[in-house]
Coordinates of all heavy atoms in Angstrom, one line a residue:
M1 N 14.5 -4.9 41.8 CA 14.3 -4.2 40.5 C 15.6 -3.8 40.0 O 16.5 -3.3 40.7 CB 13.3 -3.0 40.8 CG 12.7 -2.6 39.5 SD 11.5 -1.2 39.8 CE 12.6 0.2 39.8
A2 N 15.7 -3.9 38.7 CA 17.0 -3.5 38.0 C 17.1 -2.0 38.0 O 16.2 -1.3 37.8 CB 16.9 -4.0 36.5
V3 N 18.3 -1.6 38.3 CA 18.6 -0.2 38.4 C 19.7 0.1 37.4 O 20.7 -0.6 37.4 CB 19.1 0.2 39.8 CG1 19.4 1.7 39.9 CG2 18.0 -0.1 40.8
P4 N 19.6 1.1 36.5 CA 20.7 1.4 35.6 C 21.9 1.9 36.3 O 21.9 2.7 37.2 CB 20.1 2.6 34.8 CG 18.8 3.0 35.3 CD 18.4 2.0 36.4
R5 N 23.1 1.3 35.9 CA 24.4 1.5 36.5 C 25.0 2.8 36.0 O 25.8 3.4 36.8 CB 25.3 0.4 36.3 CG 24.9 -0.9 37.0 CD 25.8 -2.0 36.7 NE 27.1 -1.8 37.4 CZ 28.2 -2.6 37.2 NH1 28.1 -3.6 36.4 NH2 29.3 -2.3 37.9
H6 N 24.7 3.2 34.8 CA 25.4 4.4 34.2 C 24.4 5.3 33.7 O 23.3 4.9 33.2 CB 26.4 4.0 33.2 CG 27.5 3.1 33.6 ND1 28.5 3.5 34.5 CD2 27.6 1.7 33.5 CE1 29.2 2.5 34.8 NE2 28.8 1.4 34.2
K7 N 24.7 6.6 33.6 CA 23.9 7.6 33.0 C 23.8 7.4 31.5 O 24.9 7.2 30.9 CB 24.4 9.0 33.4 CG 23.6 10.1 32.8 CD 24.3 11.4 32.9 CE 23.8 12.4 31.9 NZ 23.0 13.5 32.4
H8 N 22.6 7.5 31.0 CA 22.4 7.4 29.5 C 22.5 8.9 29.0 O 21.7 9.7 29.2 CB 21.0 6.9 29.2 CG 21.0 5.9 28.2 ND1 19.9 5.1 27.9 CD2 21.9 5.4 27.3 CE1 20.1 4.3 26.9 NE2 21.4 4.4 26.5
T9 N 23.6 9.2 28.3 CA 23.8 10.5 27.8 C 22.8 10.9 26.7 O 22.3 10.0 26.1 CB 25.3 10.7 27.3 OG1 25.4 9.9 26.2 CG2 26.3 10.5 28.3
R10 N 22.7 12.2 26.5 CA 21.8 12.6 25.4 C 22.2 12.1 24.0 O 21.4 11.7 23.2 CB 21.7 14.2 25.3 CG 21.1 14.9 26.5 CD 19.7 14.5 26.8 NE 18.9 14.7 25.7 CZ 17.7 14.1 25.4 NH1 17.3 13.2 26.3 NH2 17.0 14.3 24.4
A11 N 23.6 12.0 23.9 CA 24.1 11.5 22.6 C 23.7 10.0 22.4 O 23.3 9.6 21.3 CB 25.6 11.6 22.6
K12 N 23.8 9.2 23.5 CA 23.5 7.8 23.4 C 22.0 7.6 23.1 O 21.6 6.8 22.3 CB 23.8 7.1 24.7 CG 25.3 6.7 24.8 CD 25.4 5.2 25.1 CE 26.9 4.9 25.1 NZ 27.1 3.5 25.4
V13 N 21.2 8.4 23.8 CA 19.7 8.4 23.6 C 19.4 8.7 22.1 O 18.6 8.1 21.4 CB 19.0 9.3 24.5 CG1 17.5 9.5 24.2 CG2 19.1 8.9 25.9
G14 N 20.1 9.8 21.6 CA 19.9 10.2 20.2 C 20.3 9.2 19.2 O 19.6 9.0 18.3
K15 N 21.4 8.5 19.5 CA 21.9 7.5 18.6 C 20.9 6.3 18.5 O 20.7 5.7 17.5 CB 23.3 7.0 19.0 CG 24.4 7.8 18.6 CD 25.7 7.3 19.1 CE 26.8 8.3 19.1 NZ 28.0 7.8 19.8
S16 N 20.3 6.0 19.6 CA 19.4 4.9 19.7 C 18.1 5.3 18.9 O 17.5 4.5 18.1 CB 19.0 4.6 21.1 OG 17.9 3.7 21.2
R17 N 17.6 6.5 19.2 CA 16.3 7.0 18.6 C 16.5 7.3 17.1 O 15.4 7.4 16.4 CB 15.8 8.2 19.3 CG 15.3 7.8 20.7 CD 14.8 9.1 21.4 NE 14.4 8.7 22.8 CZ 14.2 9.6 23.7 NH1 14.2 10.9 23.5 NH2 13.8 9.2 24.9
M18 N 17.7 7.5 16.6 CA 17.9 7.8 15.2 C 17.3 6.8 14.3 O 16.9 7.1 13.2 CB 19.5 7.9 15.0 CG 20.0 7.9 13.6 SD 21.7 8.3 13.7 CE 22.5 6.8 14.3
H19 N 17.2 5.5 14.8 CA 16.7 4.4 13.9 C 15.3 4.1 14.2 O 14.7 3.3 13.5 CB 17.6 3.1 14.1 CG 19.0 3.4 13.9 ND1 19.5 3.5 12.6 CD2 20.0 3.5 14.7 CE1 20.8 3.7 12.7 NE2 21.2 3.7 14.0
K20 N 14.7 4.8 15.2 CA 13.3 4.5 15.5 C 12.4 5.6 14.9 O 11.9 6.4 15.6 CB 13.1 4.5 17.0 CG 13.8 3.3 17.7 CD 13.7 3.4 19.2 CE 14.4 2.2 19.8 NZ 14.5 2.3 21.3
Y21 N 12.1 5.5 13.6 CA 11.2 6.5 13.0 C 10.3 5.7 12.1 O 10.6 4.6 11.6 CB 12.0 7.6 12.3 CG 12.9 7.1 11.2 CD1 12.6 6.8 9.9 CD2 14.3 6.9 11.6 CE1 13.4 6.4 9.0 CE2 15.2 6.4 10.7 CZ 14.7 6.1 9.4 OH 15.6 5.7 8.4
I22 N 9.2 6.3 11.7 CA 8.2 5.6 10.8 C 8.7 5.8 9.4 O 8.9 6.9 8.9 CB 6.8 6.2 11.1 CG1 6.4 5.9 12.5 CG2 5.8 5.6 10.1 CD1 5.1 6.7 12.9
K23 N 8.9 4.7 8.8 CA 9.3 4.7 7.4 C 8.0 4.9 6.5 O 6.9 4.5 6.9 CB 10.0 3.4 7.0 CG 11.3 3.3 7.7 CD 11.9 1.9 7.6 CE 13.1 1.7 8.4 NZ 12.9 1.1 9.7
G24 N 8.2 5.5 5.3 CA 7.1 5.6 4.4 C 6.6 4.3 3.9 O 7.4 3.3 3.8
I25 N 5.3 4.2 3.5 CA 4.8 3.0 3.0 C 5.4 2.7 1.6 O 5.6 3.6 0.8 CB 3.2 3.0 2.9 CG1 2.7 4.2 2.2 CG2 2.7 2.9 4.3 CD1 1.3 4.1 1.8
S26 N 5.6 1.4 1.3 CA 6.1 1.1 0.0 C 4.9 0.5 -0.8 O 4.2 -0.4 -0.4 CB 7.2 0.0 0.1 OG 6.7 -1.2 0.7
L27 N 4.7 1.1 -2.0 CA 3.6 0.7 -2.8 C 4.1 -0.1 -4.0 O 5.2 0.1 -4.5 CB 2.9 2.0 -3.4 CG 2.1 2.8 -2.4 CD1 1.7 4.1 -3.0 CD2 1.0 2.1 -1.8
N28 N 3.3 -1.1 -4.4 CA 3.5 -1.9 -5.6 C 2.6 -1.4 -6.7 O 1.7 -0.6 -6.4 CB 3.3 -3.3 -5.3 CG 4.3 -3.9 -4.3 OD1 5.3 -3.3 -4.0 ND2 4.1 -5.1 -3.9
V29 N 2.8 -1.9 -7.9 CA 2.0 -1.5 -9.0 C 1.1 -2.7 -9.4 O 1.6 -3.8 -9.5 CB 2.8 -1.1 -10.2 CG1 1.9 -0.8 -11.4 CG2 3.6 0.1 -9.9
C30 N -0.2 -2.5 -9.5 CA -1.1 -3.6 -9.9 C -0.8 -4.0 -11.3 O -0.7 -3.2 -12.2 CB -2.6 -3.1 -9.9 SG -3.8 -4.2 -10.5
P31 N -0.5 -5.3 -11.5 CA -0.2 -5.8 -12.8 C -1.3 -5.7 -13.8 O -1.1 -5.7 -15.0 CB 0.2 -7.3 -12.6 CG -0.4 -7.7 -11.3 CD -0.5 -6.4 -10.5
K32 N -2.6 -5.7 -13.3 CA -3.7 -5.6 -14.2 C -4.0 -4.2 -14.7 O -4.1 -3.9 -15.9 CB -5.0 -6.2 -13.5 CG -6.2 -6.1 -14.2 CD -6.4 -7.4 -15.1 CE -7.7 -7.3 -15.8 NZ -7.9 -8.4 -16.8
C33 N -4.1 -3.2 -13.7 CA -4.5 -1.9 -14.1 C -3.4 -0.8 -13.9 O -3.7 0.3 -14.2 CB -5.8 -1.5 -13.3 SG -5.5 -1.3 -11.6
K34 N -2.3 -1.2 -13.4 CA -1.1 -0.4 -13.3 C -1.3 0.8 -12.3 O -0.6 1.8 -12.3 CB -0.7 0.2 -14.6 CG -0.6 -0.7 -15.8 CD 0.5 -1.7 -15.7 CE 0.5 -2.6 -16.9 NZ 1.1 -3.9 -16.6
K35 N -2.2 0.6 -11.4 CA -2.4 1.6 -10.3 C -1.6 1.2 -9.1 O -1.3 0.0 -8.9 CB -3.9 1.7 -9.9 CG -4.8 2.2 -11.0 CD -5.3 3.6 -10.6 CE -6.2 4.1 -11.7 NZ -6.7 5.4 -11.5
P36 N -1.1 2.2 -8.3 CA -0.3 1.9 -7.1 C -1.2 1.2 -6.0 O -2.3 1.7 -5.7 CB 0.2 3.2 -6.6 CG -0.7 4.2 -7.2 CD -1.2 3.6 -8.5
I37 N -0.8 0.1 -5.5 CA -1.5 -0.7 -4.5 C -0.6 -1.1 -3.3 O 0.6 -1.2 -3.5 CB -2.2 -1.9 -5.0 CG1 -1.2 -2.8 -5.8 CG2 -3.4 -1.6 -5.9 CD1 -1.7 -4.2 -6.0
L38 N -1.2 -1.3 -2.1 CA -0.4 -1.9 -1.0 C -0.1 -3.4 -1.3 O -1.0 -4.0 -1.9 CB -1.2 -1.8 0.3 CG -1.4 -0.4 0.9 CD1 -2.4 -0.5 2.0 CD2 -0.1 0.0 1.5
S39 N 1.0 -3.9 -0.9 CA 1.4 -5.3 -1.2 C 0.5 -6.2 -0.4 O 0.0 -5.8 0.7 CB 2.8 -5.5 -0.8 OG 3.1 -5.2 0.5
H40 N 0.2 -7.4 -0.9 CA -0.6 -8.4 -0.3 C -2.1 -7.9 0.0 O -2.7 -8.3 0.9 CB -0.1 -8.9 1.1 CG 1.4 -9.3 0.9 ND1 1.7 -10.5 0.3 CD2 2.5 -8.7 1.4 CE1 3.1 -10.6 0.3 NE2 3.6 -9.6 1.0
T41 N -2.6 -7.1 -0.9 CA -4.0 -6.6 -0.8 C -4.6 -6.7 -2.2 O -4.0 -6.6 -3.2 CB -4.1 -5.2 -0.2 OG1 -3.3 -4.3 -1.1 CG2 -3.7 -5.1 1.2
V42 N -6.0 -6.8 -2.2 CA -6.7 -6.8 -3.4 C -6.7 -5.3 -3.9 O -6.8 -4.4 -3.2 CB -8.2 -7.2 -3.1 CG1 -9.0 -7.1 -4.4 CG2 -8.2 -8.6 -2.6
C43 N -6.5 -5.2 -5.3 CA -6.5 -3.9 -5.9 C -7.9 -3.3 -5.8 O -8.9 -3.9 -6.1 CB -6.1 -4.0 -7.3 SG -6.2 -2.5 -8.2
K44 N -8.0 -2.0 -5.3 CA -9.3 -1.4 -5.1 C -9.9 -0.9 -6.5 O -11.1 -0.7 -6.6 CB -9.2 -0.2 -4.2 CG -9.1 -0.6 -2.7 CD -9.1 0.6 -1.8 CE -9.0 0.2 -0.4 NZ -8.8 1.3 0.5
N45 N -9.0 -0.7 -7.4 CA -9.5 -0.2 -8.7 C -10.1 -1.3 -9.6 O -11.2 -1.1 -10.1 CB -8.3 0.4 -9.5 CG -8.8 1.1 -10.7 OD1 -9.7 1.9 -10.7 ND2 -8.1 0.8 -11.8
C46 N -9.4 -2.5 -9.7 CA -9.9 -3.5 -10.6 C -10.4 -4.8 -9.8 O -11.0 -5.7 -10.4 CB -8.9 -3.9 -11.6 SG -7.4 -4.6 -10.9
G47 N -10.1 -4.9 -8.5 CA -10.5 -6.1 -7.7 C -9.7 -7.3 -8.0 O -10.2 -8.4 -7.6
H48 N -8.5 -7.2 -8.6 CA -7.7 -8.4 -8.8 C -6.7 -8.6 -7.8 O -6.2 -7.7 -7.2 CB -7.1 -8.3 -10.2 CG -7.9 -8.7 -11.3 ND1 -9.0 -7.9 -11.7 CD2 -7.9 -9.8 -12.2 CE1 -9.6 -8.5 -12.7 NE2 -9.0 -9.6 -13.0
Y49 N -6.4 -9.9 -7.5 CA -5.3 -10.3 -6.6 C -4.6 -11.5 -7.1 O -5.2 -12.5 -7.4 CB -5.9 -10.6 -5.2 CG -4.8 -10.9 -4.2 CD1 -3.9 -9.9 -3.7 CD2 -4.6 -12.2 -3.7 CE1 -2.9 -10.2 -2.8 CE2 -3.6 -12.5 -2.8 CZ -2.8 -11.5 -2.4 OH -1.8 -11.8 -1.5
K50 N -3.3 -11.4 -7.3 CA -2.5 -12.5 -7.9 C -3.0 -12.9 -9.3 O -3.1 -14.2 -9.5 CB -2.4 -13.7 -6.9 CG -1.4 -13.4 -5.8 CD -1.2 -14.7 -5.0 CE -0.2 -14.5 -3.9 NZ 0.0 -15.7 -3.1
G51 N -3.5 -12.0 -10.1 CA -4.0 -12.3 -11.4 C -5.4 -12.9 -11.5 O -5.9 -13.3 -12.5
V52 N -6.1 -13.1 -10.3 CA -7.4 -13.6 -10.3 C -8.3 -12.5 -9.7 O -8.0 -11.8 -8.8 CB -7.5 -14.8 -9.3 CG1 -8.9 -15.4 -9.3 CG2 -6.5 -15.9 -9.8
E53 N -9.6 -12.4 -10.3 CA -10.5 -11.4 -9.8 C -11.1 -11.9 -8.5 O -11.8 -12.9 -8.4 CB -11.7 -11.3 -10.8 CG -12.6 -10.1 -10.5 CD -13.7 -9.8 -11.5 OE1 -13.7 -10.5 -12.5 OE2 -14.5 -9.0 -11.1
A54 N -10.8 -11.2 -7.4 CA -11.2 -11.5 -6.1 C -12.5 -10.8 -5.7 O -13.3 -11.3 -4.9 CB -10.1 -11.2 -5.1
V55 N -12.6 -9.5 -6.2 CA -13.8 -8.7 -5.8 C -14.4 -8.2 -7.1 O -13.6 -7.7 -8.0 CB -13.4 -7.6 -4.9 CG1 -14.6 -6.7 -4.6 CG2 -12.8 -8.1 -3.6
N56 N -15.7 -8.3 -7.3 CA -16.3 -7.7 -8.5 C -16.6 -6.2 -8.2 O -17.5 -5.9 -7.5 CB -17.6 -8.4 -8.8 CG -18.2 -8.0 -10.2 OD1 -17.6 -7.2 -10.8 ND2 -19.3 -8.5 -10.5
V57 N -15.6 -5.4 -8.7 CA -15.7 -3.9 -8.4 C -16.8 -3.3 -9.2 O -17.4 -2.3 -8.8 CB -14.3 -3.3 -8.7 CG1 -14.3 -1.8 -8.4 CG2 -13.2 -4.0 -8.1
L58 N -17.1 -3.8 -10.3 CA -18.1 -3.2 -11.2 C -19.6 -3.4 -10.8 O -20.5 -2.8 -11.3 CB -17.9 -3.7 -12.7 CG -16.5 -3.6 -13.2 CD1 -16.4 -4.3 -14.6 CD2 -16.1 -2.1 -13.4
A59 N -19.8 -4.4 -9.9 CA -21.1 -4.7 -9.5 C -22.0 -3.6 -8.9 O -23.1 -3.5 -9.3 CB -21.1 -5.9 -8.5
N60 N -21.4 -2.7 -8.1 CA -22.2 -1.7 -7.4 C -22.0 -0.3 -8.1 O -22.4 0.7 -7.5 CB -21.7 -1.6 -6.0 CG -22.1 -2.9 -5.2 OD1 -23.1 -3.5 -5.5 ND2 -21.3 -3.2 -4.2
L61 N -21.5 -0.3 -9.3 CA -21.3 1.0 -10.0 C -22.5 1.2 -10.9 O -23.2 0.3 -11.3 CB -20.1 1.0 -10.9 CG -18.7 0.9 -10.1 CD1 -17.6 0.8 -11.2 CD2 -18.5 2.1 -9.3
T62 N -22.8 2.5 -11.2 CA -23.8 2.9 -12.2 C -23.3 2.5 -13.6 O -22.1 2.3 -13.8 CB -24.2 4.4 -12.1 OG1 -23.0 5.1 -12.4 CG2 -24.7 4.8 -10.7
K63 N -24.3 2.5 -14.5 CA -23.9 2.1 -15.9 C -22.8 2.9 -16.5 O -21.9 2.5 -17.1 CB -25.2 2.1 -16.7 CG -25.2 1.2 -18.0 CD -26.5 1.2 -18.7 CE -26.4 0.4 -19.9 NZ -27.7 0.4 -20.7
K64 N -22.9 4.3 -16.2 CA -22.0 5.2 -16.8 C -20.6 5.0 -16.2 O -19.6 5.0 -16.9 CB -22.5 6.6 -16.4 CG -21.9 7.7 -17.3 CD -22.5 9.0 -17.0 CE -22.1 10.1 -17.9 NZ -22.7 11.4 -17.6
D65 N -20.5 4.9 -14.8 CA -19.3 4.7 -14.1 C -18.6 3.3 -14.5 O -17.4 3.2 -14.7 CB -19.4 4.7 -12.6 CG -19.8 6.1 -12.1 OD1 -19.4 7.1 -12.8 OD2 -20.4 6.2 -11.0
K66 N -19.5 2.3 -14.7 CA -19.0 1.0 -15.1 C -18.3 1.0 -16.5 O -17.2 0.5 -16.6 CB -20.2 0.1 -15.2 CG -19.9 -1.4 -15.2 CD -21.1 -2.3 -15.4 CE -21.6 -2.8 -14.1 NZ -22.7 -3.8 -14.3
K67 N -18.8 1.8 -17.4 CA -18.2 1.9 -18.7 C -16.9 2.6 -18.6 O -15.9 2.1 -19.2 CB -19.1 2.8 -19.6 CG -19.7 2.0 -20.8 CD -20.5 3.0 -21.7 CE -21.0 2.2 -22.9 NZ -21.8 3.1 -23.8
V68 N -16.8 3.6 -17.8 CA -15.5 4.4 -17.7 C -14.5 3.5 -17.0 O -13.3 3.4 -17.5 CB -15.7 5.7 -16.8 CG1 -14.4 6.3 -16.5 CG2 -16.7 6.6 -17.5
R69 N -14.9 2.8 -16.0 CA -13.9 1.9 -15.3 C -13.4 0.7 -16.2 O -12.2 0.4 -16.2 CB -14.6 1.3 -14.0 CG -13.7 0.5 -13.1 CD -12.6 1.4 -12.4 NE -13.2 2.3 -11.4 CZ -13.4 1.9 -10.1 NH1 -13.2 0.7 -9.7 NH2 -13.9 2.9 -9.3
E70 N -14.3 0.2 -16.9 CA -14.0 -0.9 -17.8 C -13.0 -0.5 -18.9 O -12.0 -1.1 -19.2 CB -15.2 -1.5 -18.5 CG -16.0 -2.5 -17.7 CD -17.3 -3.0 -18.3 OE1 -17.7 -2.3 -19.3 OE2 -17.8 -3.9 -17.9
Q71 N -13.2 0.8 -19.4 CA -12.3 1.4 -20.4 C -10.9 1.6 -19.8 O -9.9 1.3 -20.4 CB -12.9 2.7 -20.8 CG -12.2 3.2 -22.1 CD -12.6 2.4 -23.3 OE1 -13.7 1.8 -23.4 NE2 -11.7 2.3 -24.2
E72 N -10.9 2.1 -18.5 CA -9.6 2.4 -17.8 C -8.8 1.1 -17.7 O -7.6 1.0 -18.0 CB -9.8 2.9 -16.4 CG -10.0 4.4 -16.3 CD -10.2 4.9 -14.9 OE1 -10.0 4.1 -14.0 OE2 -10.7 6.0 -14.8
I73 N -9.4 0.0 -17.2 CA -8.8 -1.3 -17.0 C -8.2 -1.8 -18.3 O -7.1 -2.4 -18.4 CB -9.7 -2.2 -16.3 CG1 -10.0 -1.7 -14.8 CG2 -9.1 -3.6 -16.2 CD1 -11.1 -2.4 -14.1
K74 N -9.1 -1.8 -19.4 CA -8.7 -2.3 -20.7 C -7.4 -1.6 -21.2 O -6.5 -2.2 -21.6 CB -9.8 -2.1 -21.7 CG -10.6 -3.3 -22.0 CD -11.6 -3.1 -23.1 CE -12.5 -4.2 -23.2 NZ -13.6 -4.0 -24.2
E75 N -7.4 -0.2 -21.1 CA -6.3 0.5 -21.6 C -5.0 0.2 -20.8 O -3.9 0.1 -21.4 CB -6.6 2.0 -21.5 CG -7.5 2.5 -22.7 CD -7.9 4.0 -22.6 OE1 -7.1 4.7 -21.9 OE2 -8.9 4.3 -23.1
A76 N -5.2 0.1 -19.5 CA -4.0 -0.1 -18.6 C -3.4 -1.5 -18.9 O -2.2 -1.7 -18.9 CB -4.4 0.0 -17.2
S77 N -4.3 -2.5 -19.1 CA -3.8 -3.9 -19.3 C -3.1 -4.0 -20.7 O -2.3 -4.9 -20.9 CB -4.9 -4.9 -19.1 OG -6.0 -4.6 -20.0
K78 N -3.5 -3.2 -21.6 CA -2.9 -3.2 -23.0 C -1.5 -2.7 -22.9 O -0.6 -3.3 -23.5 CB -3.7 -2.4 -24.0 CG -4.9 -3.1 -24.6 CD -5.6 -2.2 -25.6 CE -6.9 -2.8 -26.0 NZ -7.7 -1.9 -26.9
A79 N -1.3 -1.6 -22.2 CA 0.0 -0.9 -22.2 C 1.1 -1.7 -21.4 O 0.8 -2.6 -20.7 CB -0.1 0.5 -21.6
Ligands
ZN1 ZN1 -5.7 -3.2 -10.3

């Protein structure tokens, strides 16, 4: 079995661990509705991916919520 030849000092351990931390997630902006989304995923707000509607988000909403959501998407795509 391999045995370490030299002692690993606290400084060396610290220098190594300095780069091993969790980086914050990077968010992109949905081109359709301008909401922040994870990259390579379907937008949860409008259901679009790469400019094509992948999921019909409005299908399971009530009539009132549907109107509000449609309005939001329209306004965001205009701006
Ligand atoms: Zn979107």
Side-chain angles (χ1 to χ4, degrees):
M1 197 177 83
V3 179
R5 291 179 70 188
H6 301 286
K7 180 193 158 109
H8 225 170
T9 62
R10 295 298 306 153
K12 278 232 173 181
V13 171
K15 277 179 199 171
S16 168
R17 288 181 186 168
M18 165 168 75
H19 304 288
K20 294 177 179 173
Y21 55 87
I22 297 168
K23 293 168 185 98
I25 53 166
S26 61
L27 293 172
N28 292 352
V29 176
C30 174
K32 179 86 178 171
C33 67
K34 314 294 183 204
K35 293 250 178 179
I37 52 165
L38 286 170
S39 55
H40 307 290
T41 56
V42 174
C43 177
K44 281 183 182 175
N45 188 51
C46 65
H48 278 69
Y49 181 70
K50 285 187 171 180
V52 181
E53 188 177 353
V55 178
N56 188 2
V57 185
L58 305 173
N60 295 329
L61 293 175
T62 60
K63 203 173 178 184
K64 200 174 184 182
D65 291 335
K66 199 184 257 186
K67 243 185 180 177
V68 173
R69 186 71 67 87
E70 279 175 344
Q71 195 70 31
E72 272 180 18
I73 294 168
K74 257 188 191 173
E75 282 177 24
S77 58
K78 275 181 189 173

